[in-house]
Amino acid sequence: MTVPLLFNTTQNDSPNVLGNPYASSIAADDFINANPQIDALYFWEHLTPPSPLLPGAYNMNFSMEDISMYNLMGGVAAASDLTGTVTKPNGYIASAQGFGVKPTAAGTATFTNAMRRLTNNDTWRQPELQKNRLWLQVAHTGYELQNTTLIGFVEGASPALDAGYDSKRLATVLSLYSLTENGEELGIQTREAFDPEMKISLGFSTLVDEETEYTLSLSQWEGTALEGVEIYLYDALLQTTTLLNDGAYVFRSDKGTYPQRFTLFFQAPQLEVPTQALAGIRWFPNPAQDQITVWNPNSLEVSRIVVYDLQGREVAVQKVGTTQMVIAVDLSVLQTGVYVVQIETLEGSVTERLMKQ
């Protein structure tokens, strides 16, 4: 096949951009030898981001330092390649690879089957995008249900929606998903380059019509940025933190949608150490029926005792404002199920899970 070559007064003013049309590599030497008006090939190496500070006709321009060159003697790396070797052309042009030429005259560039090669079809000038990714899975083994969400990190992505990189979650029976800052629910989310200070909100939903147990695990992760990184899951409802690298997190839930129940983060949490007085607070029995008893041996001032359901809603509140050592809490209005009890004091709060019979 042939492609027109344009010429504009001088060779230096006549850049043309071509591409390998075959589903295989071609030999650069064969191409140059078959086209006497072409004496060198130029490859853009994608090393420097576009910038208005670079010379050119428009606001965002690319650097000439990013261009490598090849002729019949061999290749030289781009000036911005500080290794001097990584971007050096190796004499092959991969399938669909673009390249530039500066013809010595107008005419045509010829491509033939004789230039094709069976190997070296891996020399595209743009390096493969470095992807750092992790997959989280929620499962219910009894019902043979599972759902997986993917979170990835690449240069150039953003915390908002990026076309081709972020996808909404599916309405499956069981669903684990991440959320953007604007609350979009994603089955696949791509964030900017990995930063260990990131925090990612996770939601969970289930159509299983009973209160039952689920397992949330880190099923796979890859990428150099995630090597050696500790991946933590925080459950805002139960106020617990789990290192997923060490194993799965088991929790209970009834039917419903729980946006932002979980948070994923990548640094060890700075946990508040309860005072000795606060650590002395206990309550019993558990499981309970219509009442629990809070034991406050250090006579801390208890302001409120709050009971939450597994959707994070307050279902019972008892304002106390007392330093009594024994406090009775009425649970008669609650249905059978799992709840969270939070005892609030001036020293801090104590949170425990409650089974109501």
Side-chain angles (χ1 to χ4, degrees):
M1 66 171 292
T2 60
V3 179
L5 290 173
L6 302 181
F7 184 76
N8 185 27
T9 309
T10 68
Q11 184 180 12
N12 215 37
D13 292 330
S14 305
N16 287 244
V17 177
L18 308 176
N20 175 4
Y22 298 116
S24 67
S25 66
I26 61 174
D29 286 5
D30 288 356
F31 178 77
I32 295 173
N33 286 326
N35 294 281
Q37 69 274 50
I38 295 174
D39 56 16
L41 311 180
Y42 303 88
F43 299 94
W44 179 37
E45 300 297 345
H46 304 256
L47 299 177
T48 307
S51 170
L53 302 179
L54 294 170
Y58 302 99
N59 288 332
M60 300 299 286
N61 301 296
F62 291 90
S63 175
M64 292 293 291
E65 307 287 307
D66 285 1
I67 296 176
S68 62
M69 182 170 56
Y70 183 88
N71 67 15
L72 294 174
M73 182 55 69
V76 292
S80 54
D81 175 3
L82 300 183
T83 69
T85 58
V86 171
T87 61
K88 183 176 69 175
N90 68 352
Y92 296 90
I93 307 170
S95 176
Q97 171 66 56
F99 58 95
V101 298
K102 296 179 182 179
T104 57
T108 58
T110 300
F111 295 87
T112 69
N113 278 314
M115 301 173 186
R116 301 178 68 180
R117 296 294 185 269
L118 296 176
T119 59
N120 290 283
N121 199 24
D122 56 358
T123 57
W124 292 278
R125 308 320 302 165
Q126 180 172 356
E128 182 180 355
L129 186 65
Q130 291 297 310
K131 297 178 181 179
N132 298 281
R133 301 178 286 190
L134 59 90
W135 288 261
L136 296 168
Q137 182 186 72
V138 65
H140 189 295
T141 55
Y143 289 105
E144 297 184 342
L145 296 171
Q146 73 84 30
N147 184 247
T148 300
T149 190
L150 166 61
I151 301 169
F153 310 89
V154 297
E155 292 280 357
S158 72
L161 291 176
D162 297 306
Y165 285 92
D166 293 306
S167 298
K168 298 294 182 66
R169 74 178 179 101
L170 299 175
T172 50
V173 173
L174 189 61
S175 182
L176 180 67
Y177 52 91
S178 62
L179 295 103
T180 67
E181 294 176 350
N182 294 327
E184 289 93 351
E185 300 176 352
L186 303 179
I188 301 176
Q189 182 179 23
T190 304
R191 292 288 303 267
E192 64 274 29
F194 178 74
D195 183 338
E197 294 186 359
M198 284 178 169
K199 294 182 180 180
I200 299 172
S201 295
L202 299 172
F204 163 77
S205 72
T206 174
L207 297 178
V208 176
D209 198 12
E210 67 172 298
E211 190 272 322
T212 186
E213 190 172 272
Y214 298 89
T215 301
L216 197 160
S217 61
L218 179 64
S219 59
Q220 182 184 354
W221 70 98
E222 65 181 24
T224 55
L226 296 178
E227 290 181 1
V229 171
E230 294 181 327
I231 301 172
Y232 293 91
L233 181 77
Y234 176 69
D235 185 336
L237 180 60
L238 301 182
Q239 298 185 345
T240 58
T241 300
T242 301
L243 178 60
L244 293 178
N245 306 69
D246 288 347
Y249 176 62
V250 179
F251 65 99
R252 299 187 70 85
S253 177
D254 55 9
K255 180 180 179 181
T257 298
Y258 308 90
Q260 298 182 326
R261 172 168 177 173
F262 302 109
T263 302
L264 200 67
F265 58 102
F266 308 96
Q267 291 182 336
Q270 300 298 316
L271 300 178
E272 294 185 5
V273 179
T275 65
Q276 185 175 359
L278 186 63
I281 291 180
R282 296 287 186 272
W283 57 265
F284 56 87
N286 191 15
Q289 294 184 350
D290 291 336
Q291 179 178 293
I292 60 171
T293 300
V294 175
W295 170 240
N296 180 23
N298 297 300
S299 298
L300 297 179
E301 183 171 340
V302 178
S303 56
R304 292 197 318 163
I305 299 174
V306 185
V307 181
Y308 298 91
D309 66 13
L310 290 182
Q311 291 179 289
R313 299 173 299 193
E314 293 184 359
V315 293
V317 180
Q318 184 166 318
K319 295 183 179 179
V320 182
T322 182
T323 58
Q324 291 179 335
M325 294 179 64
V326 179
I327 305 168
V329 181
D330 181 19
L331 303 178
S332 60
V333 299
L334 302 183
Q335 296 180 349
T336 300
V338 179
Y339 299 89
V340 175
V341 177
Q342 186 173 70
I343 303 167
E344 301 176 359
T345 78
L346 298 182
E347 292 274 344
S349 62
V350 176
T351 303
E352 297 287 347
R353 189 167 71 172
L354 164 70
M355 177 71 74
K356 170 69 163 57
Q357 292 180 334

